[in-house]
mmCIF file of all heavy atoms in Angstrom:
data_model
loop_
_atom_site.group_PDB
_atom_site.id
_atom_site.type_symbol
_atom_site.label_atom_id
_atom_site.label_comp_id
_atom_site.label_asym_id
_atom_site.label_seq_id
_atom_site.Cartn_x
_atom_site.Cartn_y
_atom_site.Cartn_z
ATOM 1 N N GLU A 50 132.205 128.719 90.976
ATOM 2 C CA GLU A 50 131.946 128.336 89.591
ATOM 3 C C GLU A 50 130.625 128.941 89.153
ATOM 4 O O GLU A 50 129.669 128.974 89.918
ATOM 5 C CB GLU A 50 131.844 126.816 89.451
ATOM 6 C CG GLU A 50 133.117 126.086 89.750
ATOM 7 C CD GLU A 50 132.932 124.587 89.695
ATOM 8 O OE1 GLU A 50 131.814 124.071 89.899
ATOM 9 O OE2 GLU A 50 133.950 123.912 89.443
ATOM 10 N N ILE A 51 130.594 129.420 87.915
ATOM 11 C CA ILE A 51 129.342 129.826 87.290
ATOM 12 C C ILE A 51 129.074 128.792 86.205
ATOM 13 O O ILE A 51 129.918 128.551 85.342
ATOM 14 C CB ILE A 51 129.411 131.242 86.702
ATOM 15 C CG1 ILE A 51 129.681 132.253 87.819
ATOM 16 C CG2 ILE A 51 128.123 131.571 85.967
ATOM 17 C CD1 ILE A 51 129.781 133.683 87.352
ATOM 18 N N VAL A 52 127.891 128.172 86.291
ATOM 19 C CA VAL A 52 127.552 127.043 85.430
ATOM 20 C C VAL A 52 126.265 127.364 84.670
ATOM 21 O O VAL A 52 125.313 127.894 85.255
ATOM 22 C CB VAL A 52 127.363 125.764 86.286
ATOM 23 C CG1 VAL A 52 127.071 124.561 85.407
ATOM 24 C CG2 VAL A 52 128.588 125.510 87.156
ATOM 25 N N THR A 53 126.231 127.044 83.380
ATOM 26 C CA THR A 53 125.031 127.262 82.572
ATOM 27 C C THR A 53 123.976 126.211 82.922
ATOM 28 O O THR A 53 124.273 125.207 83.577
ATOM 29 C CB THR A 53 125.338 127.164 81.069
ATOM 30 O OG1 THR A 53 125.726 125.817 80.776
ATOM 31 C CG2 THR A 53 126.422 128.131 80.642
ATOM 32 N N ALA A 54 122.765 126.431 82.436
ATOM 33 C CA ALA A 54 121.676 125.478 82.661
ATOM 34 C C ALA A 54 121.994 124.116 82.041
ATOM 35 O O ALA A 54 121.511 123.090 82.524
ATOM 36 C CB ALA A 54 120.374 126.030 82.092
ATOM 37 N N SER A 55 122.830 124.093 81.017
ATOM 38 C CA SER A 55 123.202 122.820 80.383
ATOM 39 C C SER A 55 124.376 122.140 81.071
ATOM 40 O O SER A 55 124.789 121.056 80.672
ATOM 41 C CB SER A 55 123.521 123.047 78.905
ATOM 42 O OG SER A 55 124.639 123.891 78.775
ATOM 43 N N GLY A 56 124.952 122.781 82.104
ATOM 44 C CA GLY A 56 126.022 122.170 82.883
ATOM 45 C C GLY A 56 127.432 122.586 82.520
ATOM 46 O O GLY A 56 128.396 122.112 83.119
ATOM 47 N N ALA A 57 127.587 123.497 81.572
ATOM 48 C CA ALA A 57 128.924 123.960 81.179
ATOM 49 C C ALA A 57 129.445 124.992 82.180
ATOM 50 O O ALA A 57 128.748 125.945 82.522
ATOM 51 C CB ALA A 57 128.884 124.580 79.788
ATOM 52 N N VAL A 58 130.666 124.802 82.658
ATOM 53 C CA VAL A 58 131.298 125.767 83.562
ATOM 54 C C VAL A 58 131.844 126.908 82.709
ATOM 55 O O VAL A 58 132.708 126.697 81.864
ATOM 56 C CB VAL A 58 132.423 125.114 84.386
ATOM 57 C CG1 VAL A 58 133.127 126.143 85.253
ATOM 58 C CG2 VAL A 58 131.880 123.974 85.233
ATOM 59 N N VAL A 59 131.325 128.139 82.924
ATOM 60 C CA VAL A 59 131.755 129.288 82.121
ATOM 61 C C VAL A 59 132.726 130.190 82.863
ATOM 62 O O VAL A 59 133.356 131.050 82.262
ATOM 63 C CB VAL A 59 130.548 130.104 81.611
ATOM 64 C CG1 VAL A 59 129.730 129.268 80.625
ATOM 65 C CG2 VAL A 59 129.679 130.588 82.751
ATOM 66 N N ALA A 60 132.858 129.994 84.176
ATOM 67 C CA ALA A 60 133.831 130.768 84.960
ATOM 68 C C ALA A 60 134.184 129.969 86.207
ATOM 69 O O ALA A 60 133.334 129.308 86.788
ATOM 70 C CB ALA A 60 133.276 132.125 85.352
ATOM 71 N N GLN A 61 135.460 130.038 86.587
ATOM 72 C CA GLN A 61 135.910 129.414 87.823
ATOM 73 C C GLN A 61 136.961 130.324 88.435
ATOM 74 O O GLN A 61 137.955 130.656 87.795
ATOM 75 C CB GLN A 61 136.479 128.029 87.559
ATOM 76 C CG GLN A 61 136.819 127.286 88.823
ATOM 77 C CD GLN A 61 137.141 125.814 88.567
ATOM 78 O OE1 GLN A 61 136.757 125.249 87.564
ATOM 79 N NE2 GLN A 61 137.848 125.214 89.491
ATOM 80 N N LEU A 62 136.701 130.765 89.673
ATOM 81 C CA LEU A 62 137.587 131.718 90.345
ATOM 82 C C LEU A 62 137.800 131.297 91.791
ATOM 83 O O LEU A 62 137.069 130.455 92.319
ATOM 84 C CB LEU A 62 136.947 133.116 90.318
ATOM 85 C CG LEU A 62 136.559 133.620 88.943
ATOM 86 C CD1 LEU A 62 135.080 133.912 88.914
ATOM 87 C CD2 LEU A 62 137.340 134.845 88.620
ATOM 88 N N SER A 63 138.753 131.941 92.460
ATOM 89 C CA SER A 63 138.978 131.732 93.887
ATOM 90 C C SER A 63 139.445 133.048 94.491
ATOM 91 O O SER A 63 139.794 133.984 93.773
ATOM 92 C CB SER A 63 140.009 130.630 94.119
ATOM 93 O OG SER A 63 141.263 131.013 93.595
ATOM 94 N N SER A 64 139.432 133.105 95.829
ATOM 95 C CA SER A 64 139.878 134.316 96.508
ATOM 96 C C SER A 64 140.448 133.967 97.879
ATOM 97 O O SER A 64 139.755 133.371 98.700
ATOM 98 C CB SER A 64 138.718 135.299 96.689
ATOM 99 O OG SER A 64 139.117 136.391 97.482
ATOM 100 N N PRO A 65 141.692 134.352 98.152
ATOM 101 C CA PRO A 65 142.266 134.093 99.466
ATOM 102 C C PRO A 65 141.695 135.011 100.553
ATOM 103 O O PRO A 65 141.874 134.749 101.735
ATOM 104 C CB PRO A 65 143.760 134.352 99.263
ATOM 105 C CG PRO A 65 143.808 135.336 98.140
ATOM 106 C CD PRO A 65 142.636 134.994 97.248
ATOM 107 N N THR A 66 140.981 136.061 100.155
ATOM 108 C CA THR A 66 140.498 137.040 101.126
ATOM 109 C C THR A 66 139.100 136.750 101.655
ATOM 110 O O THR A 66 138.658 137.388 102.590
ATOM 111 C CB THR A 66 140.475 138.451 100.510
ATOM 112 O OG1 THR A 66 139.519 138.471 99.448
ATOM 113 C CG2 THR A 66 141.839 138.850 100.005
ATOM 114 N N GLY A 67 138.357 135.848 101.042
ATOM 115 C CA GLY A 67 136.991 135.580 101.483
ATOM 116 C C GLY A 67 135.966 136.515 100.873
ATOM 117 O O GLY A 67 134.811 136.546 101.279
ATOM 118 N N SER A 68 136.363 137.288 99.853
ATOM 119 C CA SER A 68 135.444 138.207 99.185
ATOM 120 C C SER A 68 135.763 138.220 97.702
ATOM 121 O O SER A 68 136.923 138.312 97.306
ATOM 122 C CB SER A 68 135.600 139.608 99.767
ATOM 123 O OG SER A 68 134.744 140.511 99.109
ATOM 124 N N LEU A 69 134.705 138.110 96.877
ATOM 125 C CA LEU A 69 134.898 138.046 95.440
ATOM 126 C C LEU A 69 133.703 138.687 94.753
ATOM 127 O O LEU A 69 132.558 138.416 95.102
ATOM 128 C CB LEU A 69 135.013 136.575 95.026
ATOM 129 C CG LEU A 69 135.387 136.215 93.607
ATOM 130 C CD1 LEU A 69 136.781 136.738 93.267
ATOM 131 C CD2 LEU A 69 135.364 134.707 93.440
ATOM 132 N N THR A 70 133.960 139.582 93.785
ATOM 133 C CA THR A 70 132.898 140.189 92.986
ATOM 134 C C THR A 70 133.127 139.792 91.541
ATOM 135 O O THR A 70 134.217 139.984 91.002
ATOM 136 C CB THR A 70 132.890 141.720 93.126
ATOM 137 O OG1 THR A 70 132.663 142.060 94.494
ATOM 138 C CG2 THR A 70 131.790 142.337 92.272
ATOM 139 N N ILE A 71 132.078 139.233 90.917
ATOM 140 C CA ILE A 71 132.179 138.744 89.545
ATOM 141 C C ILE A 71 131.261 139.578 88.664
ATOM 142 O O ILE A 71 130.068 139.698 88.942
ATOM 143 C CB ILE A 71 131.756 137.262 89.472
ATOM 144 C CG1 ILE A 71 132.596 136.432 90.451
ATOM 145 C CG2 ILE A 71 131.885 136.740 88.050
ATOM 146 C CD1 ILE A 71 131.994 135.086 90.760
ATOM 147 N N ASP A 72 131.817 140.151 87.598
ATOM 148 C CA ASP A 72 131.026 140.894 86.617
ATOM 149 C C ASP A 72 130.595 139.905 85.544
ATOM 150 O O ASP A 72 131.429 139.328 84.848
ATOM 151 C CB ASP A 72 131.853 142.021 86.017
ATOM 152 C CG ASP A 72 131.060 142.915 85.083
ATOM 153 O OD1 ASP A 72 129.901 142.574 84.756
ATOM 154 O OD2 ASP A 72 131.601 143.957 84.690
ATOM 155 N N THR A 73 129.289 139.708 85.404
ATOM 156 C CA THR A 73 128.769 138.734 84.446
ATOM 157 C C THR A 73 128.399 139.377 83.106
ATOM 158 O O THR A 73 127.711 138.753 82.295
ATOM 159 C CB THR A 73 127.541 138.008 85.021
ATOM 160 O OG1 THR A 73 126.512 138.971 85.268
ATOM 161 C CG2 THR A 73 127.883 137.275 86.303
ATOM 162 N N ALA A 74 128.854 140.590 82.860
ATOM 163 C CA ALA A 74 128.507 141.303 81.627
ATOM 164 C C ALA A 74 128.906 140.529 80.377
ATOM 165 O O ALA A 74 128.265 140.649 79.341
ATOM 166 C CB ALA A 74 129.140 142.690 81.614
ATOM 167 N N GLY A 75 129.932 139.712 80.444
ATOM 168 C CA GLY A 75 130.378 138.949 79.290
ATOM 169 C C GLY A 75 129.582 137.684 79.032
ATOM 170 O O GLY A 75 129.824 136.993 78.041
ATOM 171 N N LEU A 76 128.644 137.359 79.904
ATOM 172 C CA LEU A 76 127.846 136.145 79.746
ATOM 173 C C LEU A 76 126.554 136.441 78.993
ATOM 174 O O LEU A 76 125.960 137.507 79.161
ATOM 175 C CB LEU A 76 127.504 135.543 81.113
ATOM 176 C CG LEU A 76 128.686 135.111 81.986
ATOM 177 C CD1 LEU A 76 128.185 134.584 83.326
ATOM 178 C CD2 LEU A 76 129.524 134.066 81.279
ATOM 179 N N ALA A 77 126.125 135.488 78.194
ATOM 180 C CA ALA A 77 124.861 135.616 77.467
ATOM 181 C C ALA A 77 123.694 135.554 78.447
ATOM 182 O O ALA A 77 123.805 134.967 79.531
ATOM 183 C CB ALA A 77 124.744 134.491 76.450
ATOM 184 N N ASP A 78 122.576 136.171 78.093
ATOM 185 C CA ASP A 78 121.376 136.073 78.916
ATOM 186 C C ASP A 78 120.980 134.608 79.026
ATOM 187 O O ASP A 78 121.095 133.844 78.068
ATOM 188 C CB ASP A 78 120.223 136.874 78.298
ATOM 189 C CG ASP A 78 120.439 138.378 78.416
ATOM 190 O OD1 ASP A 78 121.331 138.797 79.171
ATOM 191 O OD2 ASP A 78 119.708 139.129 77.748
#
Side-chain angles (χ1 to χ4, degrees):
E50 295 176 334
I51 298 180
V52 183
T53 66
S55 63
V58 176
V59 294
Q61 186 169 339
L62 306 121
S63 64
S64 173
T66 65
S68 178
L69 187 62
T70 299
I71 304 162
D72 185 351
T73 62
L76 299 178
D78 288 347

